[in-house]
């Protein structure tokens, strides 16, 4: 059986789970409604207590939607951050916190980190299994956007050569991210530092021209300005990595003696096994630290996984509380229409018909609340995604998957069964007592 | 179908208290019977016993069917097909149209009976002068509502009509009109009408009036002799 299950596609498995979760609702509906037409009376009850019913539906929708919104958001952030980091095979930096280095080099979050010197960079760049060794020099900004010094080869790799205009070819030129509000041909002077502490006129004498624009990547690099690493060094009054006689040359190789230092080097290995070999080789010496951003993210996700589990439990507890309060509400409402249910029995309606009316009423509330909750959850996730994308530049896309649909259907399945409780309580009351109420 | 009633040693007991005791009573099919008596005497209890809403001891035989021998569900099924009930406070679904209220039985009876029930309900509403728009009965007067309730009771073409204080919530003109309509519709149709009422205008139009006091049938008088 397990083997058969494993042979099914993920979609087929999800659909079968959804069908299994719908089964109690459909089964109960079939058993109770078969041969009857209770809908006019269900509608009458829904209309009679419309404000209370609306409140129940909103309560269910909000609790379901919040749970779904948070879970989809967490997943969207996870997927978005993984996609944002996928171009960064291996990061090499001075020993320190991998997380801090990853946030600084991959997600461009401002951070003061020690520099790698020219000898260290040379060791990395000259390794036979290194295809690209891109210094990443950050710390300056323009209009809130980080200005990052690197090499043209890395820009080509990062964008898959999807550049409007051209790559920078000399110092004083820049390629901007898709979200940067600068046009080709515009000039700007970088500020020293980032955020509120940025000194806006520190590098006024340096004018940089925008010569290219990267295609949108859904990563923080959409909001970055890339310039030759030599420009970063020059604006800070440092050597530019090349001997004087090299003239305006930019890019590797660099002269180790004239290499001012870089916070991190992004390395692309010749192949996958090479990446692992490089990580070992560049970490063993103790002077440098090499790590896979994907591995650091995976560790982070493990921590987030606990949070996700906590969120799921909280969401289920919230939904359970709402379900209990709605069922209590149904108990109260069922007492209010007990007289008319007794009248139905007096007129000759079978027990199953009365059950169909009360259960149909409860199930309609639950189903409407759950469906609205899915929509609300999707809406909330979309809004949250937009906010997170705007704040982090990590493209977070909200999408409701079968997991959320099945969570909602699970809630519906359980509550549709629990809706039978007020029905059974109603039916235990003597008809005559109901008529005399 | 016409169903005579034969009661033998009927008693309704609640704990140690006997609410109603009727040693013997026979009503021919097609009778129009009134039941009167002081409040709490057991009039409604008699109606509930005759309708099978209460479990009873003794015999309550409608035609060949002894309700006392039937399970609650079988009694319910008997009510659905053989009885029409009219309540003092109409017991309508306020949100529904007069026609939807009158067709209530079509919602739970056999699909094959639905068309007939709907046709009869429309016919009774017409004959009782109730407008059949889509407007809900919430805006109807008491008299109009009770006529909808009567149409509902008659829609299944029952052999027995049981009415509990049908005119008590109506003003005099509305009550008189309902009495006229009800008696005119039932008399000669072969249906048996048993109406619990204090309304002399109604009781005077029936064939016999039973008097209940302290749970005992104390009097059974033809109306012409009352």
């Amino acid at each position: 059986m397990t083997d058969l299950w494993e042979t099914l596609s993920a979609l087929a498995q999800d659909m079968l789970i959804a069908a299994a979760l719908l089964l109690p609702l459909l089964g109960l509906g079939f058993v109770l409604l078969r041969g009857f037409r209770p809908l006019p009376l269900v509608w009458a009850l829904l209309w009679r207590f419309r404000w209370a019913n609306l409140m129940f539906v909103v309560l269910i929708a909000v609790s379901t939607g919040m749970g779904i919104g948070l879970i989809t958001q967490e997943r969207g952030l996870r997927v978005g951050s993984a996609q944002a980091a996928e171009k960064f095979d291996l990061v090499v930096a001075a020993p320190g916190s991998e997380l801090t280095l990853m946030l600084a080099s991959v997600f461009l979050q401002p951070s003061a980190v020690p520099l790698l010197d020219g000898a260290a960079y040379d060791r990395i760049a000259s390794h036979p299994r290194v295809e690209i060794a891109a210094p990443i020099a950050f710390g300056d900004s323009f209009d809130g956007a980080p200005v990052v010094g690197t090499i043209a080869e890395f820009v080509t790799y990062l964008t898959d050569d999807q550049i409007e205009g051209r790559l920078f070819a000399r110092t004083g030129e820049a390629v901007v991210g898709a979200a940067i509000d600068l046009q080709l041909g515009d000039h700007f002077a970088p500020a020293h530092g980032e955020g509120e502490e940025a000194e806006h006129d520190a590098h006024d004498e340096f004018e940089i021209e925008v010569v290219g624009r990267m295609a949108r990547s859904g990563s923080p690099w959409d909001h970055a300005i890339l310039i030759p690493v030599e420009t970063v060094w020059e604006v800070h009054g440092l050597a530019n990595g090349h001997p004087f006689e090299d003239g305006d040359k930019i890019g590797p190789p660099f002269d180790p003696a004239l290499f001012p230092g870089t916070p991190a080097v992004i390395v692309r290995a010749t192949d996958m096994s090479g990446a692992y070999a490089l990580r070992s080789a560049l970490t063993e010496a103790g002077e440098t630290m090499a790590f896979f951003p994907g591995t650091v993210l995976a560790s982070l996700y493990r921590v987030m996984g606990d949070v996700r589990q906590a969120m799921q439990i909280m969401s289920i507890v919230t939904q359970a509380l709402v379900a209990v309060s709605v069922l209590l509400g149904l108990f109260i409402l069922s007492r209010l229409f007990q007289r008319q249910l007794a009248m139905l029995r007096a007129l000759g309606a079978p027990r199953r018909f009365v059950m169909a009316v009360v259960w149909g009423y409860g199930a309609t509330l639950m189903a409407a609340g759950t469906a609205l909750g899915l929509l609300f959850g999707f809406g909330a996730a979309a809004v949250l995604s937009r906010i997170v994308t705007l704040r982090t530049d990590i493209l977070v896309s909200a999408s409701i998957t079968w997991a959320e649909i099945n969570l909602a259907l699970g809630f519906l399945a359980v509550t549709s069964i629990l809706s039978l409780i007020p029905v059974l309580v109603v039916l235990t009351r003597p008809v005559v007592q109901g008529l005399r109420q | 179908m016409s169903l005579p009633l034969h009661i033998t040693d009927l008693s309704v007991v609640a704990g140690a208290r006997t609410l109603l005791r009727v040693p013997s009573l026979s009503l021919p099919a097609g009778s129009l019977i009134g039941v009167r008596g002081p409040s709490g005497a057991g009039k409604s209890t008699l109606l509930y016993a005759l309708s099978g809403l209460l479990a009873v001891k003794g015999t309550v035989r409608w035609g060949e069917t002894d309700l006392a021998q039937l399970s609650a569900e079988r009694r319910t099924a008997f009510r659905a097909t053989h009885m029409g009930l009219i309540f003092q406070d109409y017991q309508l679904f306020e949100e529904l149209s007069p026609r939807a209220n009158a067709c209530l039985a079509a919602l739970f009876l056999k699909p094959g009976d639905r068309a007939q029930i709907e046709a009869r309900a429309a016919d009774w509403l017409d004959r009782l002068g109730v407008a059949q728009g889509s407007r809900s009965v919430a805006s109807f007067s008491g008299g109009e509502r009770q006529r909808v309730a009567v149409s509902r009771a008659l829609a299944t073409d029952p052999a027995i009509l049981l009415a509990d204080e049908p005119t008590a919530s109506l003003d005099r003109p509305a009550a008189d009109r309902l009495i006229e309509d009800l008696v005119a519709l039932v008399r000669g149709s072969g249906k048996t009408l048993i109406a619990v009422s204090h309304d002399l205008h109604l009781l005077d139009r029936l064939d016999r009036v039973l008097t209940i006091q302290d749970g005992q049938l104390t009097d059974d008088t033809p109306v012409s002799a009352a």
Side-chain angles (χ1 to χ4, degrees):
Chain A
M1 193 67 181
T2 312
D3 291 343
L4 178 65
W5 180 255
E6 294 301 332
T7 60
L8 298 174
S9 67
L11 177 67
Q13 288 181 356
D14 285 329
M15 288 174 76
L16 280 173
I17 292 170
L21 289 169
L22 273 175
L23 217 53
L25 182 73
L26 298 177
L28 271 173
F30 177 75
V31 168
L32 292 177
L33 307 179
R34 187 172 41 90
F36 296 147
R37 291 195 304 183
L39 288 185
L41 302 188
V42 171
W43 181 87
L45 297 181
L46 288 170
W47 183 250
R48 183 174 309 172
F49 304 112
R50 51 194 172 277
W51 299 116
N53 293 334
L54 187 67
M55 193 186 71
F56 287 151
V57 169
V58 169
L59 261 177
I60 298 166
V62 168
S63 70
T64 308
M66 273 172 54
I68 287 172
L70 283 174
I71 292 166
T72 54
Q73 191 54 39
E74 184 274 337
R75 187 184 53 238
L77 190 58
R78 204 155 25 95
V79 171
S81 58
Q83 281 173 348
E86 69 183 359
K87 285 279 185 181
F88 298 80
D89 295 355
L90 189 65
V91 175
V92 185
S97 159
E98 290 182 348
L99 184 60
T100 305
L101 256 304
M102 183 194 68
L103 289 173
S105 57
V106 178
F107 295 102
L108 300 176
Q109 296 298 305
S111 185
V113 294
L115 303 180
L116 288 175
D117 61 18
Y121 175 78
D122 193 49
R123 251 198 327 279
I124 299 165
S126 59
H127 196 286
R129 304 192 80 164
V130 169
E131 190 179 310
I132 303 171
I136 300 290
F138 40 79
D140 287 344
S141 65
F142 171 72
D143 199 19
V147 174
V148 182
T150 187
I151 58 174
E153 206 178 356
F154 176 68
V155 182
T156 304
Y157 167 66
L158 187 66
T159 60
D160 291 325
D161 212 12
Q162 298 292 305
I163 296 173
E164 177 193 352
R166 63 174 174 82
L167 277 170
F168 47 72
R170 60 178 184 82
T171 59
E173 290 183 342
V175 174
V176 297
I180 295 292
D181 189 21
L182 284 171
Q183 305 304 314
L184 298 188
D186 285 353
H187 291 76
F188 69 95
H192 182 67
E194 293 183 74
E196 290 178 358
E197 292 169 3
E199 298 168 37
H200 293 283
D201 48 4
H203 306 313
D204 272 355
E205 67 275 22
F206 289 92
E207 201 170 66
I208 299 172
E209 182 188 359
V210 177
V211 296
R213 177 184 295 281
M214 296 187 285
R216 190 170 287 278
S217 67
S219 79
W221 293 75
D222 287 339
H223 204 248
I225 298 171
L226 307 189
I227 59 176
V229 69
E230 291 86 347
T231 308
V232 175
W233 291 326
E234 285 174 3
V235 299
H236 290 90
L238 304 168
N240 71 0
H242 303 285
F244 181 75
E245 54 271 23
D246 279 3
D248 290 337
K249 175 183 183 311
I250 61 167
F254 297 102
D255 184 339
L258 299 171
F259 188 93
T262 182
V265 178
I266 307 296
V267 172
R268 176 167 168 75
T270 49
D271 52 36
M272 183 61 82
S273 63
Y276 282 93
L278 276 170
R279 186 179 64 163
S280 299
L282 296 173
T283 305
E284 270 172 7
E287 292 173 5
T288 55
M289 172 184 77
F291 61 91
F292 298 121
T295 308
V296 178
L297 277 174
S299 306
L300 195 61
Y301 297 157
R302 271 198 293 279
V303 177
M304 283 169 70
D306 293 340
V307 175
R308 184 172 75 242
Q309 217 165 19
M311 275 163 38
Q312 275 176 332
I313 291 169
M314 274 163 51
S315 159
I316 288 168
V317 168
T318 310
Q319 281 182 275
L321 287 173
V322 167
V324 168
S325 59
V326 169
L327 288 174
L328 280 174
L330 284 181
F331 268 114
I332 295 164
L333 290 181
S334 69
R335 286 198 72 86
L336 288 177
F337 51 72
Q338 185 186 352
R339 190 144 193 246
Q340 287 203 303
L341 298 178
M343 178 271 289
L344 285 175
R345 294 281 291 145
L347 292 183
R351 279 173 183 274
R352 188 165 65 83
F353 178 77
V354 178
M355 287 176 79
V357 172
V358 183
W359 180 83
Y361 164 65
T364 303
L365 291 181
M366 302 293 182
T370 305
L372 203 64
L374 274 169
L375 287 176
F376 175 70
F378 182 73
V383 170
L384 282 172
S385 298
R386 203 167 164 74
I387 293 169
V388 173
T389 301
L390 284 173
R391 290 177 73 106
T392 64
D393 286 316
I394 297 171
L395 182 64
V396 177
S397 53
S399 58
I400 287 186
T401 65
W402 280 97
E404 285 76 58
I405 293 172
N406 286 343
L407 183 73
L409 289 179
F411 172 78
L412 187 58
V414 171
T415 50
S416 67
I417 295 169
L418 292 178
S419 297
L420 280 175
I421 298 172
V423 181
L424 294 171
V425 170
V426 164
L427 285 175
T428 58
R429 295 172 192 149
V431 176
V432 170
Q433 186 188 320
L435 289 173
R436 285 177 167 157
Q437 199 180 36
Chain B
M1 181 192 281
S2 301
L3 295 175
L5 171 68
H6 296 287
I7 291 176
T8 317
D9 294 330
L10 167 68
S11 64
V12 179
V13 179
R17 192 166 155 237
T18 300
L19 301 177
L20 180 71
R21 185 184 299 276
V22 180
S24 175
L25 177 67
S26 289
L27 302 175
S31 315
L32 277 65
I33 309 296
V35 181
R36 69 179 172 191
S39 295
K43 304 185 297 294
S44 296
T45 303
L46 174 65
L47 210 61
Y48 293 147
L50 298 184
S51 63
L53 285 168
L54 285 173
V56 298
K57 289 178 180 167
T59 303
V60 178
R61 188 182 300 280
W62 287 103
E64 298 301 313
T65 307
D66 181 4
L67 291 185
Q69 301 300 314
L70 300 182
S71 67
E73 274 313 289
R74 297 278 303 277
R75 294 200 301 268
T76 302
F78 185 84
R79 266 198 311 280
T81 48
H82 295 95
M83 292 181 180
L85 270 71
I86 302 166
F87 303 94
Q88 176 182 338
D89 53 357
Y90 334 120
Q91 289 285 338
L92 301 176
F93 278 89
E94 300 279 308
E95 301 76 13
L96 301 182
S97 68
R99 187 160 182 175
N101 268 291
C103 294
L104 209 58
L107 304 181
F108 54 79
L109 286 180
K110 283 187 301 218
D113 295 337
R114 282 174 190 159
Q116 275 190 318
I117 290 170
E118 285 167 358
R120 272 198 297 265
D123 183 40
W124 285 120
L125 286 169
D126 268 345
R127 287 163 74 174
L128 288 165
V130 180
Q132 290 190 53
S134 56
R135 196 161 55 106
S136 80
V137 297
S139 59
F140 278 27
S141 68
E144 286 175 309
R145 288 179 196 212
Q146 196 59 298
R147 286 200 294 279
V148 174
V150 170
S151 303
R152 179 180 66 190
L154 291 167
T156 53
D157 194 22
I160 307 149
L161 269 179
L162 301 174
D164 191 2
E165 302 281 8
T167 58
S169 299
L170 306 180
D171 57 26
R172 192 67 261 158
D176 285 342
R177 185 176 167 197
L178 184 81
I179 292 165
E180 285 299 323
D181 288 340
L182 191 60
V183 171
L185 291 172
V186 174
R187 192 177 291 284
S189 68
K191 298 181 191 303
T192 301
L193 168 68
I194 302 178
V196 167
S197 183
H198 290 102
D199 188 343
L200 292 177
H201 290 242
L202 172 61
L203 296 176
D204 282 347
R205 301 293 304 276
L206 306 179
D207 301 336
R208 285 163 66 181
V209 175
L210 311 177
T211 305
I212 306 276
Q213 281 188 323
D214 296 329
Q216 307 280 336
L217 180 59
T218 56
D219 193 25
D220 178 357
T221 314
V223 168
S224 56

